Amino acid sequence: MDHPLELQLSSSNSSSSCSTQDSPSPSWTFTQQKGTLTAVLEQLPIPFMINVLDEMCHLPELAQHQRQVLSNPYNVSNILRCEPSARTKLTVYFQWLEKSTKNFVWTLTENICHFIALYPDLSDGHLLGFRYMLKLGTFLMEAGWYAEAIILLNIAKGQAKGRSIKTLQVLKVLVLAESLSNRDEAAFLTISEIHSLAGITKVVPMSLTAELHCALAASYFENCEFNASYQQGLLALQLLGEGICPYETMIGTFRQLGRSCIAKQRLFQAKLLITQAVSWAWHSFGSTSVVYAEALEDYAFYLLMMNAYDDAMKVVTEAKNIYFDVYGYLGVQAELAQGNLAFRLYLESYGYQELGSLDQYMEYIVDLEDNRRKAHLGGSDDRQMLAVGRMRPLVAVGDICKVGNVMVPRDGVENVQPQMVVNDVRRLFFTNLL
């Protein structure tokens, strides 16, 4: 029989937490009607809780119990802290709950806002303090819940309390969330804030500086400012250093600068960078990793611009198979898609060109999805609508390539290239730039 359960959100709670140096935190009374299963599940150590949550994703009758457990921000943050594969696990759980119960991630975000309103002065190490709020916001941005990510990242920005480095760490993620969700005015303001704050901060770590330039390059690209994107990508490339920057930063820089090189019709540099992004992702994270799948989609974009449609389709299919294997069938459905849905729609539009123009295809998608899902949305973004908006730079690059008369058969898919050290990539890039 259901009964009220008072959840105490305290980092000192527990059999369900990992060993930690967190100081005790204020409690949060979050009363809901909960069954015994939910109450028992919340008392389990994180590895056992995850095992049960995995099984729940195949049992619709238990979806509400799973929702109740994961609506508790403490549990989600604890999973992020303790579970090495937390991003993948939480993405699968959130996809399932979004599909089966609707607006789950928005509800979780509201619960976090409620808690922060009650306890605004948490320590950085608290499970809903700066460190984990930034992790949560970054996770949601990477998994495609941009509206919710922006809310949490703004909370993290407030928790930074004016500390320059911590604020810049938030802003580099925030500008991506805003740009990838077509919030152009908000992204413009964040870009201005990054430039201003970075200019007055005496010492910014090289890795963070490279990440900021890469984030700015991505933001400018989404707004079709290809020259600015290219310049920011160059600055990031010059700062990369093995043993200094994480592999994700190196791969992200290669990918983003490679895209900008296509727009600039610097095709040798584009191929060098994008194939090295694929190689670094394959060698560093494996052929079944999401990082590798994301790099493959950029490789497919390059191939498409080289008039290698069939090869591009093969590469995209490989990427989609990886997303399917990692996230399940929901990860490749438009409303919850992982990876570059905007590019997949753009690639699909090539098959539609026999029936009509690209503009007509985009209007068709918008009309179809407006009628199908608009009535069911809460505060979350509609991913397919965002993806249609994000087709703008892809269309612009395609037009540049056509005008530049480079849409001719000139390249095809190749096996994963040998991995070069960063200095060799940089040397080849700048040598061939002259």
Side-chain angles (χ1 to χ4, degrees), residues 3-10 13 27-34 39 42-43 72:
H3 60 278
L5 177 68
E6 189 177 79
L7 300 183
Q8 299 297 321
L9 296 191
S10 166
N13 181 16
S27 63
W28 175 33
T29 302
F30 180 56
T31 304
Q32 292 188 359
Q33 291 296 113
K34 294 199 173 186
E42 289 191 312
Q43 300 305 313
N72 182 339

Side-chain angles (χ1 to χ4, degrees), residues 89-308:
K89 295 286 187 183
L90 289 174
T91 301
V92 171
Y93 302 156
F94 287 14
Q95 285 175 172
W96 168 251
L97 292 172
E98 283 289 306
K99 185 72 173 180
S100 60
T101 69
K102 305 298 181 185
N103 297 321
F104 162 75
V105 180
W106 188 257
T107 298
L108 172 65
T109 303
E110 289 180 327
N111 288 345
I112 292 173
C113 292
H114 173 66
F115 178 70
I116 296 300
L118 291 175
Y119 301 103
D121 296 318
L122 301 174
S123 67
D124 286 353
H126 183 276
L127 281 173
L128 290 178
F130 171 81
R131 186 191 311 163
Y132 292 101
M133 195 62 64
L134 177 56
K135 281 189 175 183
L136 272 169
T138 302
F139 157 66
L140 291 180
M141 187 279 293
E142 292 175 343
W145 283 286
Y146 301 121
E148 295 87 345
I150 289 168
I151 292 170
L152 298 193
L153 290 167
N154 276 305
I155 291 174
K157 181 182 172 185
Q159 292 174 327
K161 298 177 180 177
R163 293 169 289 184
S164 298
I165 300 301
K166 292 187 182 299
T167 302
L168 287 170
Q169 288 173 335
V170 176
L171 294 178
K172 74 172 184 181
V173 185
L174 180 60
V175 73
L176 288 174
E178 291 168 341
S179 300
L180 294 174
S181 59
N182 304 320
R183 292 172 167 87
D184 297 335
E185 292 184 8
F188 175 79
L189 294 175
T190 303
I191 289 171
S192 299
E193 189 173 1
I194 289 172
H195 284 303
S196 176
L197 186 56
I200 63 174
T201 302
K202 292 183 179 179
V203 180
V204 180
M206 184 180 296
S207 177
L208 177 57
T209 304
E211 291 166 0
L212 286 166
H213 285 305
C214 187
L216 290 172
S219 181
Y220 285 128
F221 186 89
E222 292 295 326
N223 204 36
C224 299
E225 298 180 50
F226 301 128
N227 288 329
S229 177
Y230 178 75
Q231 293 301 322
Q232 289 295 326
L234 286 180
L235 292 171
L237 179 64
Q238 290 169 335
L239 290 171
L240 293 185
E242 293 179 57
I244 298 173
C245 297
Y247 290 153
E248 292 92 338
T249 302
M250 297 180 183
I251 295 166
T253 299
F254 292 160
R255 290 175 56 205
Q256 183 53 57
L257 183 53
R259 287 194 292 262
S260 298
C261 283
I262 298 173
K264 298 280 288 180
Q265 298 187 45
R266 299 185 181 276
L267 302 179
F268 177 90
Q269 288 83 6
K271 181 174 182 179
L272 169 68
L273 291 170
I274 291 172
T275 55
Q276 277 303 297
V278 171
S279 179
W280 272 75
W282 191 89
H283 285 98
S284 302
F285 297 95
S287 61
T288 60
S289 68
V290 171
V291 177
Y292 178 62
E294 291 170 343
L296 284 178
E297 288 183 308
D298 286 330
Y299 188 29
F301 179 53
Y302 164 80
L303 290 170
L304 189 63
M305 294 301 98
M306 296 300 99
N307 203 25

Side-chain angles (χ1 to χ4, degrees), residues 17 30 97 170 199 233 258 299 324 399 407 410:
S17 65
F30 180 56
L97 292 172
V170 176
Y299 188 29
F324 181 88
D399 290 343
M407 282 294 286
R410 60 192 305 148

